[in-house]
C-alpha cells in the first residue's frame, strides 16, 4: 500500500492506472477510521479494481468554534487498518498541499447546503463540496463511496456531481452501528461513559419512528412529536433538529411516503451527533 502526500505523486499514479483502463473506487475520509469507513473500503474493494482512500481533516468544513484542532487523528492506526483491507493507495496531503496560499475557489450547492446541519454549521457543506470536488478531480474515480450516516452530505454530493457533470458515481452505503445501536462516528470518542449511554436515546427514537410507521402512522408531525418526547426524557441530550423530509430536495413533508428521511442532530454534552433512518420505496433502511 502506497501512502502519498503530494498532488503530483498522486496524479502520476492515477495516470498510470488510467492508462491501463483500471476501474478506480474512492473513499474520502477525515481519518480515525472505524467500521463505517471500512465498510466503504470493502465495497470499493468488491466492486472496483483499484481502491484509493484519502485521509484529510479538511479545515474548510469546520466552523471557527468547532472541533478542527481536537478532531482525533492517528495515521499509524489508520494506515494499518487500510493495509489489512488491501487498499492500493492512501492520499494524506497537508493543508498547504490542498489549500496553498491565496486559495480562492469554493463550491456551493445552493439551498440544499443551508438546510438541516447547514443551519447550525454555516459554511460546512461549502467546505465539504470544495474538498470532495478537488479530490474527485485528482483521483478521477469511477465510483466514490459515502456513508448514509451523513445523509445530507450524500444528497448534496449527488447533486454536485450531477450539476457539474462529474463522471463519478456517488454510491451511498448503510450506516454501521455499534452493538447497542449507536451510529459509528469518529466523534463518539468525545463521549464520556454517561453521555454515551444517554446518546442511545437517538437511535431509540428512530426505532420508535420505524415502529410507528410499521403500525401505519404516516403523519410526520405526530411521529416527530413522539420522537422529541422520547429524546427529551434524556437530560444530557439537547436536540438541534428532528425533521422528516423528502430525500430528493430535503424539504419537510407532512406525510411519510415516497423516498423520505427522518433525520436528527443533537448535542450530547458538548458533542454534536447526527443519525437518520431512510424510507425508500416503502422499505425502512436504518
Ligand atoms: O464525511 C466526511 O468524513 C467528510 O465530510 C469528507 C467527505 C471526507 C470530506 O472532508
Amino acid at each position: 500500500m502506497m501512502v502519498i502526500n503530494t498532488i503530483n505523486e498522486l496524479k502520476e499514479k492515477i495516470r498510470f492506472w488510467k492508462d491501463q483502463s483500471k476501474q478506480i473506487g474512492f473513499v474520502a475520509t477525515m481519518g480515525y477510521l472505524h467500521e463505517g469507513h471500512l465498510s466503504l473500503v470493502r465495497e470499493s474493494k468488491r466492486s472496483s479494481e483499484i481502491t484509493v482512500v484519502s485521509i484529510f481533516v479538511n479545515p474548510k468544513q469546520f466552523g471557527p468554534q468547532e472541533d478542527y484542532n481536537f478532531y482525533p487523528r492517528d495515521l499509524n492506526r489508520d494506515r494499518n487498518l487500510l493495509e489489512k483491507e488491501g487498499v492500493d493507495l492512501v492520499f494524506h496531503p497537508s493543508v498547504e498541499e490542498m489549500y496553498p496560499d491565496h486559495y480562492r475557489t469554493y463550491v456551493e450547492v445552493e439551498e440544499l447546503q443551508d438546510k438541516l446541519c447547514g443551519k447550525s454549521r454555516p459554511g460546512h457543506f461549502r467546505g465539504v463540496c470544495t474538498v470532495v470536488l478537488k479530490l474527485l478531480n485528482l483521483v478521477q474515480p469511477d465510483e466514490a463511496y459515502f456513508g448514509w450516516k451523513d445523509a445530507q452530505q450524500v444528497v448534496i454530493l449527488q447533486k454536485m456531481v450531477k450539476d457539474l457533470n462529474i463522471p463519478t458515481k456517488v454510491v451511498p452505503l448503510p450506516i454501521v452501528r455499534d452493538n447497542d445501536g449507536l451510529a459509528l462516528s469518529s466523534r463518539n470518542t468525545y463521549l464520556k461513559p454517561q453521555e454515551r449511554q444517554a446518546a442511545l436515546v437517538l437511535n431509540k427514537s428512530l426505532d420508535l419512528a420505524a415502529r410507528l410507521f410499521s403500525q401505519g402512522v404516516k403523519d410526520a408531525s405526530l411521529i416527530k412529536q413522539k420522537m422529541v418526547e422520547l429524546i427529551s426524557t434524556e437530560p444530557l441530550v439537547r436536540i438541534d433538529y428532528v425533521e422528516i423530509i423528502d430525500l430528493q430536495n430535503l424539504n419537510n413533508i407532512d406525510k411519510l411516503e415516497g423516498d423520505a428521511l427522518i433525520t436528527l442532530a443533537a448535542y450530547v454534552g458538548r458533542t454534536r451527533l447526527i443519525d437518520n433512518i431512510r424510507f425508500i420505496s416503502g422499505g425502512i433502511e436504518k
Side-chain angles (χ1 to χ4, degrees), residues 121-259:
R121 305 188 69 191
H124 170 67
F125 290 110
R126 176 185 192 252
V128 169
C129 288
T130 300
V131 81
V132 171
L133 181 61
K134 281 169 71 72
L135 291 166
L136 294 181
N137 281 339
L138 292 169
V139 178
Q140 298 176 48
D142 298 277
E143 295 192 341
Y145 309 91
F146 295 90
W148 264 126
K149 187 172 132 300
D150 300 298
Q152 185 174 10
Q153 173 170 282
V154 165
V155 172
I156 289 177
L157 292 177
Q158 281 174 331
K159 186 78 176 112
M160 176 184 84
V161 160
K162 183 162 185 258
D163 284 355
L164 296 180
N165 313 105
I166 300 161
T168 297
K169 186 173 171 206
V170 170
V171 181
L173 292 169
I175 296 176
V176 178
R177 296 174 183 279
D178 250 330
N179 291 337
D180 56 11
L182 186 67
L184 294 189
S185 161
S186 305
R187 290 194 169 94
N188 290 352
T189 50
Y190 299 151
L191 298 170
K192 299 188 185 103
Q194 226 188 346
E195 292 172 342
R196 203 189 175 294
Q197 198 54 35
L200 299 181
V201 79
L202 302 176
N203 171 53
K204 285 185 191 144
S205 77
L206 295 169
D207 282 344
L208 171 64
R211 237 176 7 256
L212 290 167
F213 177 77
S214 305
Q215 290 162 6
V217 181
K218 300 274 158 50
D219 180 347
S221 59
L222 179 62
I223 295 174
K224 202 171 129 171
Q225 182 202 323
K226 295 285 179 202
M227 289 177 68
V228 170
E229 273 171 21
L230 177 61
I231 298 170
S232 306
T233 60
E234 198 39 86
L236 292 178
V237 179
R238 184 168 55 85
I239 296 174
D240 181 4
Y241 64 76
V242 175
E243 298 293 356
I244 303 188
I245 57 178
D246 182 317
L247 201 43
Q248 295 296 316
N249 52 27
L250 306 180
N251 287 338
N252 287 335
I253 51 177
D254 297 333
K255 264 197 148 77
L256 195 46
E257 56 193 10
D259 288 350

Side-chain angles (χ1 to χ4, degrees), residues 22-213:
K22 296 280 192 201
Q23 298 277 111
I24 300 179
F26 176 53
V27 181
T29 81
M30 298 206 301
Y32 214 74
L33 306 175
H34 51 64
E35 279 295 315
H37 299 110
L38 298 182
S39 74
L40 308 179
V41 170
R42 285 173 198 141
E43 179 56 26
S44 176
K45 287 292 297 176
R46 205 182 60 76
S47 51
S48 297
E49 291 168 287
I50 298 290
T51 293
V52 176
V53 176
S54 64
I55 298 179
F56 179 61
V57 185
N58 172 33
K60 305 276 184 199
Q61 68 188 74
F62 290 79
Q65 308 299 329
E66 292 185 357
D67 54 345
Y68 174 68
N69 287 323
F70 310 103
Y71 196 85
R73 294 160 169 92
D74 190 342
L75 182 62
N76 274 339
R77 183 176 157 276
D78 291 345
R79 191 202 292 238
N80 287 335
L81 288 170
L82 295 175
E83 180 113 53
K84 276 197 201 113
E85 297 299 331
V87 165
D88 298 280
L89 189 154
V90 174
F91 180 50
H92 177 60
S94 65
V95 172
E96 296 70 34
E97 186 72 3
M98 291 299 276
Y99 303 113
D101 280 352
H102 312 298
Y103 184 88
R104 289 290 176 268
T105 307
Y106 294 88
V107 184
E108 300 202 17
V109 177
E110 291 178 347
E111 288 179 33
L112 297 182
Q113 69 179 0
D114 302 322
K115 298 167 188 277
L116 306 166
C117 288
K119 277 192 197 154
S120 42
R121 305 188 69 191
H124 170 67
F125 290 110
R126 176 185 192 252
V128 169
C129 288
T130 300
V131 81
V132 171
L133 181 61
K134 281 169 71 72
L135 291 166
L136 294 181
N137 281 339
L138 292 169
V139 178
Q140 298 176 48
D142 298 277
E143 295 192 341
Y145 309 91
F146 295 90
W148 264 126
K149 187 172 132 300
D150 300 298
Q152 185 174 10
Q153 173 170 282
V154 165
V155 172
I156 289 177
L157 292 177
Q158 281 174 331
K159 186 78 176 112
M160 176 184 84
V161 160
K162 183 162 185 258
D163 284 355
L164 296 180
N165 313 105
I166 300 161
T168 297
K169 186 173 171 206
V170 170
V171 181
L173 292 169
I175 296 176
V176 178
R177 296 174 183 279
D178 250 330
N179 291 337
D180 56 11
L182 186 67
L184 294 189
S185 161
S186 305
R187 290 194 169 94
N188 290 352
T189 50
Y190 299 151
L191 298 170
K192 299 188 185 103
Q194 226 188 346
E195 292 172 342
R196 203 189 175 294
Q197 198 54 35
L200 299 181
V201 79
L202 302 176
N203 171 53
K204 285 185 191 144
S205 77
L206 295 169
D207 282 344
L208 171 64
R211 237 176 7 256
L212 290 167
F213 177 77

